[in-house]
DNA sequence: AGGCAAATTATTGTATGCAATTTGTATACA
DNA sequence: TGTATACAAATTGCATACAATAATTTGCCT
């Protein structure tokens, strides 16, 4: 998948559309309309869908078309169970096997992420973050860990698109914290400090989990509806 | 992939051919001859190849056809690095999430494996063993760990086909030891003993590694060429 | 009016033919 | 003898046409 053909174009566009929730989880994918949309016939488009299915972007159902891989509360739980393990292993190996060019790539990706953080859309930020982690996966250089890691990154991006909206200051703060962790990860990898890398991996996921919890249980509205407990002295506006 | 069509047939046959080394790592896969062989046109066969590529059975090269996923000394090293981790996690989760029907399936697969051990070919033994582990993967029920685990199982089968030939008594002994470990794994899963399950996972891979080392460094021919050290009192035959 | 069944429509699956790319080979030239 | 280039063969990629399957509508009967 190197040359710039309408096929690779469709492949990349579908990927980013799924990552940015432009195509929502569970959405039906019609072969006819998609092939027309991307300017190719159904045959190559079907092959693209098969490839995307292999990576976990879409699910194929026999005689019933493809749909974007679904996400549920169950998968969210599975996600946070598997993520620290896999990512911990990936970062450890990245710290061991990294090459100079890869480190340069990673730093470049981090610069892009910082820019996206400052003046990018939620999608751009998500994609930049995704690219950063993709590179760490490449650095690890283990074909057996990579499939699961890539699968994780798909849903990491989609979870990010859902929950990491900087609607309040606390969220924005978390995001800059994530950026600082990226810097720390780069430093640990560059230093070949595998223990530190593993530690940072876990911290990074704890941050993600914290952001989701913050989103699910919003702060700052206690008592507003008059349901506050007996000991609440605070006056309601 | 449920209905028995010539497409699913090609899919399954290619899978087992690759697992049993009937199609060797790195072997070229010609679309025309394969489509003729399995009695379907090139279009659906190409889709099958894409699906197999997604699971790690084959590698696709643009404009240059598919070939069976390669294995090298490097990948062997990556394998034994990733395997204990992934399989440890899989068995832990299997012990937690197992259902009665799954346990029954696992026991059934183990019975098949024992039969294959006694009077089956190397291929049959490998496939039965593979099926056993596949079921543990299903039991774990984590979509994020599964891709890597399945990728591992492919090469586990191929490594097994290469190294686990019971050419001597020691090898045969190792195999019955593997069977006993399977029984222990079933017991741990059924009891919901996740710690024990993780422990057994590591033991199982250590056994595999030992078998390979035994194959690579054959015993019983020291001194035969007269290169024995000074302190060797043993008479050569 | 409600439910079942047959026909219609829409969508997916497969086959074939042709275009584009790669690979192998032969020939000319340094 | 080694290298480069042009041509031929083989193989992959794509589009169109047709077949098979699923979804929907329509009409009929109860």
């Amino acid at each position: 998948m190197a040359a710039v053909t309408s096929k690779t174009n469709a492949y990349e566009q579908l990927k980013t559309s799924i990552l940015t929730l432009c195509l929502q989880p569970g959405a039906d994918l019609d072969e006819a309309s998609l092939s027309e949309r991307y300017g190719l016939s159904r045959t190559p488009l079907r092959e693209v869908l098969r490839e995307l299915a292999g990576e976990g972007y879409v699910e194929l159902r026999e005689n019933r078309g493809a749909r974007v891989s679904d996400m549920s509360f169950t998968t969210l739980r599975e996600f946070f169970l598997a993520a620290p393990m896999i990512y911990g292993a990936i970062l450890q190996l990245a710290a061991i096997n990294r090459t100079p060019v890869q480190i340069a790539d990673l730093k470049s990706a981090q610069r892009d992420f910082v820019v996206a953080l400052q003046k990018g859309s939620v999608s751009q930020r998500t994609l930049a973050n995704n690219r950063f982690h993709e590179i760490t996966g490449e650095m690890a250089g283990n074909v057996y860990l990579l499939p699961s890691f890539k699968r994780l990154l798909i849903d990491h991006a989609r979870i990010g698109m859902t929950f990491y909206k900087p609607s309040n200051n606390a969220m924005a703060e978390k995001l800059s914290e994530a950026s600082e962790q990226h810097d720390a990860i780069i430093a640990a990898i560059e230093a070949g400090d595998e223990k530190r890398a593993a530690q940072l991996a876990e911290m990074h996921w704890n941050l993600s989990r914290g952001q989701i919890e913050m989103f699910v249980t919003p702060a700052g509205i206690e008592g507003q509806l008059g349901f506050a407990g007996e000991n609440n002295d605070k006056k309601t506006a």
Side-chain angles (χ1 to χ4, degrees), chain A residues 149-209:
Chain A
F149 184 57
K150 286 188 172 176
R151 184 70 187 79
L152 277 170
L153 285 186
I154 294 171
D155 285 0
H156 183 223
R158 301 200 292 181
I159 289 169
M161 286 295 296
T162 312
F163 296 111
Y164 303 173
K165 297 180 180 168
S167 44
N168 55 48
N169 273 346
M171 273 290 187
E173 224 163 85
K174 292 270 185 188
L175 279 169
S176 73
E177 200 177 332
S179 178
E180 284 165 24
Q181 286 187 356
H182 282 195
D183 288 325
I185 287 169
I186 293 173
I189 289 176
E190 194 165 15
D193 189 343
E194 55 187 282
K195 280 203 165 185
R196 174 82 181 132
Q199 192 183 11
L200 286 164
E202 188 167 349
M203 286 171 64
H204 207 53
W205 292 116
N206 285 337
L207 185 69
S208 287
R209 192 166 27 223

Side-chain angles (χ1 to χ4, degrees), chain A residues 114-136:
Chain A
V114 171
V115 170
L117 214 55
Q118 287 167 346
K119 53 187 177 188
S121 65
V122 181
S123 297
Q124 288 172 317
R125 177 150 38 80
T126 299
L127 292 174
N129 184 50
N130 191 63
R131 181 73 195 122
F132 178 88
H133 290 111
E134 266 183 355
I135 294 173
T136 64

